[in-house]
């Protein structure tokens, strides 16, 4: 595959990439493989990779992107970087702060994982890259494939935001609109992924994506002077941000760089909440079929997340829990954030909807604002139709 002319090739002397390993049965897969799932059980893969983060004092002067945490990333910094990461951390109210991950090159946190997937694809040199997405992940993969000079096809469900479709198309990716829901879209993409020479840039199956999203927590740790808040609150559909956060917390704790583990809280839309239902049942995996209804939080409306067992275990291990939020709460939280100067898409406001009324008491917490409101528009109508009274903005924390 010929790389883009403005992106010099990666150096030949690269450290060996880690093996894939199946978390369910231990099957190992070579790092050079284009296999996208475990050949034995067909489940998603992890990486045999246990890095040691650099201490705080060694980060000064490094590149101002997520690649400053080089020791914790499974491949070298690529020439295709767009400066992703290092998003601002600002106060919202009381002890709650927000990390503005919608201020990324493609306007969502998915850039953290997409750049790592695109760098891996460029290293492996496939004939084509495919992805499936409800919008943001597909946009990010399309952008970074364009940067890397890789042909890309993105499968999206019918009903995906026209603004997200326009963004994917603008990056030169081929769009395949599937007449069905998010699961039907994933099935179509997986069928195409089995074609020879295809790299499946799956933000669910491929663990490189999780090692990109974990930089969210490494940045928090650095911004807070080598500490983490009492609680991390993240939206959960397929769990890519939550599982990345859990990876980073474990890395920092194992290295002795944090003394205590933050509690990890997951937020789902009450309309599609299979993980929250399993949590309330005390189960280790999904329990039966989850009722589904339309939701503004389309990005986390995943009825059967493939990494459900890992998500539930991570929340349990870190002493957290689950919140669900209604459509009214989502719409109100979006209006509230807009009144504070932050226009965030409806999926991205779910965590603020969960905690803004004091659900965490006096504990310190950070919520991610994951996607820009310009991608989808307001939830349930005009953002300004009924502005709510709110308290003063908390001082900036970064």
């Amino acid at each position: 595959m010929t790389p883009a002319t403005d992106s010099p090739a990666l150096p030949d002397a690269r450290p060996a990439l880690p093996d894939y390993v199946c978390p369910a049965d231990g099957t190992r897969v070579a790092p050079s493989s284009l296999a996208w799932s475990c050949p034995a059980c067909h489940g998603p893969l992890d990486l045999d990779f246990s890095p040691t983060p650099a201490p705080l004092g060694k980060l000064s002067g490094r590149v101002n992107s997520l690649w400053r945490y080089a020791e914790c990333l499974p491949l070298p910094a690529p020439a295709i970087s767009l400066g992703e990461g290092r998003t601002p951390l600002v106060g919202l109210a009381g002890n709650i702060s927000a990390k503005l991950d919608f201020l990324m090159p493609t306007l969502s946190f998915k850039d953290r994982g997409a750049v790592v997937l695109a760098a891996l694809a460029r290293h492996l040199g496939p004939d084509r890259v495919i992805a499936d997405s409800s919008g943001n992940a597909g946009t990010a993969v399309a952008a970074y494939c364009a940067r890397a000079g890789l042909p890309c096809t993105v499968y999206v469900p019918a009903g995906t935001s026209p603004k997200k479709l326009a963004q994917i198309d603008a990056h030169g990716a081929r769009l395949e609109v599937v007449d069905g829901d998010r699961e039907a879209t994933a099935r179509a993409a997986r069928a195409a992924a089995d074609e020879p020479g295809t790299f499946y840039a799956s933000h669910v199956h491929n663990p490189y994506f999780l090692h990109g999203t974990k930089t969210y927590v490494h940045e928090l740790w650095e911004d807070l002077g080598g500490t983490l808040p009492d609680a991390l609150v993240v939206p959960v559909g397929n769990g890519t941000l939550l599982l990345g956060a859990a990876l980073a917390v474990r890395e920092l704790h194992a290295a002795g760089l944090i003394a205590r583990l933050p509690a990890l809280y997951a937020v789902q839309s009450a309309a599609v909440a299979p993980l929250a239902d399993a949590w309330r049942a005390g189960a280790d995996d999904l329990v039966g079929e989850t009722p589904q209804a339309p939701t503004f939080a389309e990005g986390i409306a995943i009825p059967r997340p493939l990494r459900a067992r890992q998500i539930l275990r991570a929340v349990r291990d870190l002493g957290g829990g689950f919140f669900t939020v209604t459509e009214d709460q989502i719409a109100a939280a979006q209006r509230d954030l807009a009144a504070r100067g932050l226009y965030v898409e409806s999926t991205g406001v779910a965590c603020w909807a969960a905690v803004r009324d004091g659900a965490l008491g006096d504990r310190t917490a950070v919520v991610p604002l994951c996607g820009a409101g310009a991608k989808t528009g307001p939830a349930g109508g005009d953002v300004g139709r009924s502005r709510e009274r709110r308290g003063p903005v908390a001082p900036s924390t970064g």
Side-chain angles (χ1 to χ4, degrees):
M1 191 73 230
T2 303
T5 55
D6 62 343
S7 300
L10 293 171
D12 291 333
R14 305 172 186 133
L17 299 181
D19 284 352
Y20 296 100
V21 61
C22 176
D25 59 30
T27 299
R28 300 182 77 85
V29 178
S32 59
S33 173
L34 290 177
W36 53 268
S37 65
C38 173
C41 72
H42 307 295
L45 296 166
D46 286 344
L47 285 183
D48 184 6
F49 182 58
S50 300
T52 300
L56 203 60
K58 290 191 175 180
L59 297 177
S60 178
R62 291 192 178 187
V63 62
N64 193 36
S65 73
L66 63 82
W67 297 97
R68 68 196 283 110
Y69 312 108
E71 293 86 351
C72 292
L73 293 168
L75 76 175
I80 63 171
S81 174
L82 292 167
E84 54 286 332
R86 300 299 291 142
T87 54
L89 180 65
V90 301
L92 282 181
N95 292 324
I96 310 298
S97 298
K99 189 154 175 60
L100 310 189
D101 256 25
F102 65 90
L103 298 179
M104 288 277 197
T106 75
L107 307 181
S108 93
F109 87 97
K110 295 289 177 64
D111 288 5
R112 293 186 183 275
V115 66
V116 183
L117 283 185
L120 175 63
R122 191 163 180 260
H123 174 88
L124 297 175
D127 297 326
R128 69 192 66 81
V129 175
I130 67 167
D132 60 281
S133 168
S134 60
N136 283 338
T139 296
V141 170
Y144 284 98
C145 282
R147 182 75 168 173
L150 294 166
C152 178
T153 299
V154 180
Y155 289 73
V156 297
T160 298
S161 163
K163 295 178 180 179
K164 292 179 181 179
L165 296 180
Q167 195 177 3
I168 294 169
D169 182 67
H171 291 306
R174 176 184 171 187
L175 272 165
E176 291 283 353
V177 180
V178 177
D179 186 16
D181 60 12
R182 184 66 185 83
E183 287 198 333
T185 303
R187 286 194 298 271
R190 290 196 295 266
D194 287 330
E195 297 177 10
T198 300
F199 178 86
Y200 184 22
S202 170
H203 57 293
V204 181
H205 283 87
N206 197 307
Y208 276 81
F209 197 93
L210 306 181
H211 285 271
T213 62
K214 75 182 180 184
T215 58
Y216 169 85
V217 168
H218 284 287
E219 290 178 18
L220 286 181
W221 169 76
E222 183 180 0
D223 289 341
L224 295 173
T227 64
L228 288 174
D230 298 327
L232 298 171
V233 186
V234 294
V236 175
N238 278 309
T240 54
L241 183 54
L242 182 143
L243 291 173
L247 280 172
V249 166
R250 293 181 186 121
E251 289 170 4
L252 291 166
H253 191 257
L257 296 175
I258 53 173
R260 58 173 179 79
L261 298 171
L264 184 59
Y265 286 89
V267 180
Q268 294 209 285
S269 165
V272 185
L275 292 160
D277 290 347
W279 178 264
R280 293 186 187 111
D284 294 329
D285 205 342
L286 302 179
V287 287
E289 292 298 320
T290 296
Q292 300 177 50
T295 177
F296 297 136
E298 61 181 8
I300 53 173
I302 308 297
R304 299 199 64 81
L306 290 176
R307 294 185 183 267
R309 293 184 67 89
Q310 290 176 284
I311 294 165
L312 291 163
R313 185 170 64 247
V315 173
R316 189 169 289 114
D317 288 350
L318 290 173
F322 277 79
F323 294 113
T324 56
V325 291
T326 66
E327 301 307 288
D328 286 346
Q329 286 176 302
I330 291 169
Q334 190 184 42
R335 292 194 298 270
D336 179 63
L337 284 173
R340 297 171 187 269
L342 300 165
Y343 187 32
V344 183
E345 69 175 346
S346 48
T347 298
V349 308
C351 292
W352 179 234
V355 303
R356 74 187 187 105
D357 292 327
L360 293 174
D362 61 359
R363 285 181 288 178
T364 59
V366 173
V367 299
L369 304 184
C370 296
K375 282 174 167 277
T376 57
D382 181 8
V383 167
R385 61 189 167 89
S386 60
R387 290 204 171 173
E388 301 171 19
R389 176 173 291 191
R390 56 172 174 78
V393 174
S396 176
T397 53

